[in-house]
Amino acid sequence: MSNHQLNPNNWIDLYSDYLFNYTITRVNDREIAKDLIQDTFVAGLKSMKNFKGEANERTWLISILKRKIIDYYRKINSNKGKAEVRMTYVNDDQEGDWLEERAEDDGQLNAEETIENSELGDAIYNCMDKLSEKEATVFKMKTILGYETETICNELGITASNLWVILHRARTQLAECLEKKWL
Amino acid sequence: MEEISKRKSLLFISCEEAFHICDKKQYGEASFWEMLKLNLRLIWCNMTKSYVKKNNQLTTTIKTSRVECLHKSEREVLVERFNEHLKNEMQS
């Protein structure tokens, strides 16, 4: 029985930040991450007829994105790393494994740290889903993007005291939510 | 008498004001004077202590996670390109 429906008009508003964060923790490059989520949305649009409604929209888009990320690593490895791959992985049936291993290793964090960061990022985004649109926007602009108070106020047409009230509500809710789910 | 109460109000702040200063502190926007008032309240107010602890923990968690999101201009480009695809898909 299908429960979930697709509404591509809302995809960017609802999922672009989540997908972007998911991608950047795996590819470690802002431009590539943007391209991959663009490709994901387009691929989602083209395969809408295959959607059975068993998963929710975000899970479905993430499953497409995972394939895009694997394709990306497959592509860069086919260009520059064939020889190394042959030396390390002998059997053809190990192909899926090495792709995932390579995808997780960004060279700066170890595998465990990368996984933990990406899970923590997911938990933060899940908690941000519970904020109102305005609270989430202000929190992202101030905390994640590091914009100046004045810039945010001009951008959103709010006063500085409004901003601090919104930010206080957002931080309180996020702290409570993360305390339950992560801390 | 009035003078003493004025001085008191300069140094002693409400919980709400302490929370507000603590929020500003997370972004490096609390002044020296505000920090002084917050620290004074921290000596005896358990509610403030608890809020400051949670708020600092949230900041550390966000920093550790290296969580990212799109800038407004990046999102606009994404929307523009996606809308073209959406229009084509609707027409076909």
Side-chain angles (χ1 to χ4, degrees):
Chain A
M1 190 69 187
S2 67
N3 296 319
H4 302 282
Q5 290 191 331
L6 297 177
N7 188 356
N9 290 309
N10 294 335
W11 284 356
I12 292 180
D13 283 342
L14 295 177
Y15 311 121
S16 60
D17 280 330
Y18 180 85
L19 296 189
F20 180 70
N21 182 63
Y22 184 94
T23 315
I24 206 160
T25 54
R26 284 153 179 88
V27 300
N28 207 28
D29 184 301
R30 207 171 176 91
E31 291 306 313
I32 293 165
K34 281 190 283 180
D35 288 344
L36 287 172
I37 59 169
Q38 172 82 51
D39 292 350
T40 300
F41 286 136
V42 174
L45 207 54
K46 286 184 177 158
S47 53
M48 275 176 71
K49 52 185 177 297
N50 302 327
F51 180 71
K52 291 174 192 154
E54 287 160 2
N56 66 36
E57 259 184 331
R58 194 173 81 175
T59 310
W60 184 69
L61 287 167
I62 283 285
S63 70
I64 299 172
L65 177 61
K66 279 179 182 168
R67 283 200 297 267
K68 294 282 170 200
I69 294 171
I70 290 173
D71 285 346
Y72 160 74
Y73 276 100
R74 201 191 296 266
K75 204 172 156 189
I76 59 166
N77 279 312
S78 69
N79 290 338
K80 65 174 186 180
K82 274 181 183 168
E84 292 163 48
V85 169
R86 274 197 210 105
M87 281 169 72
T88 321
Y89 296 95
V90 184
N91 301 330
D92 286 339
D93 60 357
Q94 286 177 314
E95 196 186 40
D97 298 333
W98 70 256
L99 278 170
E100 281 184 27
E101 280 174 35
R102 293 184 76 88
E104 285 294 348
D105 184 8
D106 64 9
Q108 289 174 336
L109 300 171
N110 66 37
E112 230 170 83
E113 283 170 333
T114 308
I115 291 166
E116 195 169 312
N117 272 2
S118 100
E119 282 175 3
L120 179 56
D122 288 352
I124 292 168
Y125 267 98
N126 286 333
C127 287
M128 271 200 278
D129 278 348
K130 289 174 185 153
L131 303 179
S132 72
E133 202 184 325
K134 196 149 216 171
E135 286 164 354
T137 307
V138 170
F139 182 80
K140 281 179 199 168
M141 289 173 92
K142 186 77 184 153
T143 316
I144 303 175
L145 296 170
Y147 288 179
E148 294 290 328
T149 301
E150 200 184 340
T151 312
I152 303 171
C153 290
N154 291 339
E155 193 84 54
L156 302 177
I158 55 175
T159 63
S161 59
N162 267 341
L163 175 136
W164 288 111
V165 169
I166 295 167
L167 208 51
H168 174 71
R169 283 190 203 135
R171 293 188 70 91
T172 310
Q173 288 178 70
L174 278 176
E176 272 172 31
C177 177
L178 282 168
E179 198 174 25
K180 282 181 204 154
K181 293 191 175 177
W182 187 267
L183 297 173
Chain B
M1 196 67 180
E2 205 178 308
E3 189 62 29
I4 293 169
S5 112
K6 259 187 191 174
R7 276 185 202 163
K8 236 183 166 182
S9 72
L10 275 176
L11 276 174
F12 292 95
I13 52 173
S14 65
C15 258
E16 286 72 26
E17 202 179 333
F19 295 173
H20 174 56
I21 295 171
C22 177
D23 289 336
K24 285 170 81 177
K25 182 185 155 233
Q26 307 306 316
Y27 303 95
E29 292 186 30
S31 66
F32 171 77
W33 185 241
E34 285 175 324
M35 286 300 295
L36 189 75
K37 289 195 274 188
L38 175 64
N39 287 331
L40 201 64
R41 189 170 179 98
L42 267 175
I43 296 169
W44 58 272
C45 177
N46 286 333
M47 266 176 79
T48 306
K49 263 184 209 163
S50 157
Y51 184 77
V52 167
K53 191 182 164 198
K54 278 186 186 173
N55 216 6
N56 289 344
Q57 208 167 15
L58 178 67
T59 300
T60 311
T61 307
I62 302 283
K63 275 185 188 158
T64 315
S65 73
R66 300 187 189 184
V67 72
E68 294 268 6
C69 68
L70 290 164
H71 289 278
K72 195 186 170 203
S73 56
E74 293 172 325
R75 185 191 299 271
E76 280 167 358
V77 173
L78 195 63
V79 169
E80 201 179 304
R81 287 185 191 159
F82 182 67
N83 282 345
E84 274 173 37
H85 286 285
L86 197 59
K87 210 191 285 175
N88 293 340
E89 204 61 33
M90 294 297 181
Q91 282 167 354
S92 63

